[in-house]
Amino acid sequence: MKLTADLIKNSPTYLNPIKDRELDLSNNHITLIENLGATRDLNDTLNLCSNSIRVLGNFPILTRLRSLYLSSNRIAAIDHRLPAQLPNLVSLVLTSNDIEELKVLEPLRELARLEHLSLYGNPVMTKPHARLWCVWRFPSIRVLNFEKVSLAERVAAKGLFEAETGKPSSLALEILAIEAPSADNTFEPGEGLDLLDSDDKMNVDRGSSASANAQAITDIKAKIRDEMSQIQAMEEFI
């Protein structure tokens, strides 16, 4: 069914339990978000649950909208223009949709006011470290999948996805599928050895780099575990 101006006009609008004005467009077999300019930006909450929507996007600019409910649809993609369309969105419920990859969620990074996000029931949440990824990638979120984000989770997420330089870690880059730097800007193992004299060359241990990297990773993981233990202890004390 098409989301027409007539359907919008004839759908129920009411004050929900938290006294927000809510437009209920659920259970209408809607396949595409369109014609929402007919709402005249008069709603705090929009309920589009239990439809057949595939793409989250195509909204007009709705500055009043704070909550968007889209459970039980078929959403697998998110329009990169969403943050500009819904600049004041606080709650986004995408429970039971078809989002499969973490990088599909990238447009949500620009939702500066987003505090509540549900991705429960999406294939993406079965990915390794999916919850920590969302905690790190969307720092404004306070509640994820109906569970409060803890300080310990924020520390663990930063340790996993952020290098000491403040740049994304190799794991983060892999998730984002960002290409590695070009060969012209990449250090090659053994580069510069020809500048050493013969005695220095003999002292170069070709396996030392890999060993050092492995030890560094072990040290970082131990540090994260210690920090998480300290934070959890502080939370229990508080």
Side-chain angles (χ1 to χ4, degrees):
M1 178 182 292
K2 293 195 66 174
L3 178 52
T4 64
D6 284 341
L7 177 59
I8 293 169
K9 180 180 179 181
N10 294 324
S11 295
T13 303
Y14 49 84
L15 290 180
N16 62 24
I18 59 173
K19 306 301 181 182
D20 282 347
R21 180 183 173 92
E22 180 171 336
L23 173 61
D24 189 353
L25 292 167
S26 62
N27 294 288
N28 281 303
H29 304 289
I30 297 166
T31 58
L32 176 68
I33 296 171
E34 58 185 336
N35 297 317
L36 285 176
T39 66
R40 296 183 295 170
D41 197 15
L42 295 175
N43 302 289
D44 305 293
T45 301
L46 180 58
N47 185 349
L48 284 162
C49 295
S50 301
N51 283 294
S52 299
I53 298 167
R54 295 176 179 269
V55 178
L56 176 55
N58 201 36
F59 291 89
I61 296 176
L62 300 174
T63 58
R64 179 171 173 175
L65 194 68
R66 299 292 189 276
S67 300
L68 180 58
Y69 304 146
L70 286 149
S71 298
S72 302
N73 275 275
R74 302 174 66 184
I75 293 170
I78 300 175
D79 190 337
H80 70 277
R81 296 169 294 182
L82 184 71
Q85 297 164 356
L86 308 178
N88 296 311
L89 195 66
V90 175
S91 298
L92 177 59
V93 178
L94 293 169
T95 303
S96 299
N97 275 280
D98 296 333
I99 298 172
E100 295 187 356
E101 300 295 335
L102 290 167
K103 63 182 179 180
V104 171
L105 303 172
E106 282 299 287
L108 303 184
R109 288 198 70 207
E110 304 302 321
L111 290 170
R113 298 177 180 269
L114 188 64
E115 296 183 359
H116 303 87
L117 174 64
S118 175
L119 296 165
Y120 184 81
N122 283 265
V124 69
M125 294 311 296
T126 66
K127 297 282 185 181
H129 314 301
R131 181 175 174 87
L132 289 181
W133 173 264
C134 293
V135 169
W136 177 70
R137 205 64 177 158
F138 316 127
S140 64
I141 289 178
R142 297 170 55 196
V143 178
L144 176 61
N145 293 345
F146 310 107
E147 294 183 15
K148 185 177 179 180
V149 175
S150 69
L151 181 56
E153 285 181 310
R154 294 192 188 280
V155 171
K158 184 176 180 179
L160 191 61
F161 297 114
E162 193 171 309
E164 291 184 1
T165 59
K167 295 182 178 180
S169 67
S170 58
L171 178 58
L173 294 177
E174 181 181 343
I175 291 172
L176 291 170
I178 295 177
E179 292 185 0
S182 65
D184 293 338
N185 297 321
T186 303
F187 173 79
E188 293 293 335
E191 182 179 348
L193 290 181
D194 55 330
L195 301 179
L196 300 175
D197 60 35
S198 58
D199 291 335
D200 289 334
K201 289 181 182 180
M202 293 177 64
N203 291 326
V204 172
D205 182 0
R206 296 182 181 273
S208 62
S209 178
S211 177
N213 288 339
Q215 184 60 45
I217 292 171
T218 300
D219 292 343
I220 290 171
K221 288 182 177 179
K223 183 178 179 181
I224 291 171
R225 285 195 294 268
D226 291 340
E227 290 178 352
M228 289 179 65
S229 298
Q230 293 174 14
I231 291 168
Q232 288 170 346
M234 291 174 61
E235 289 181 339
E236 291 175 0
F237 178 77
I238 294 172

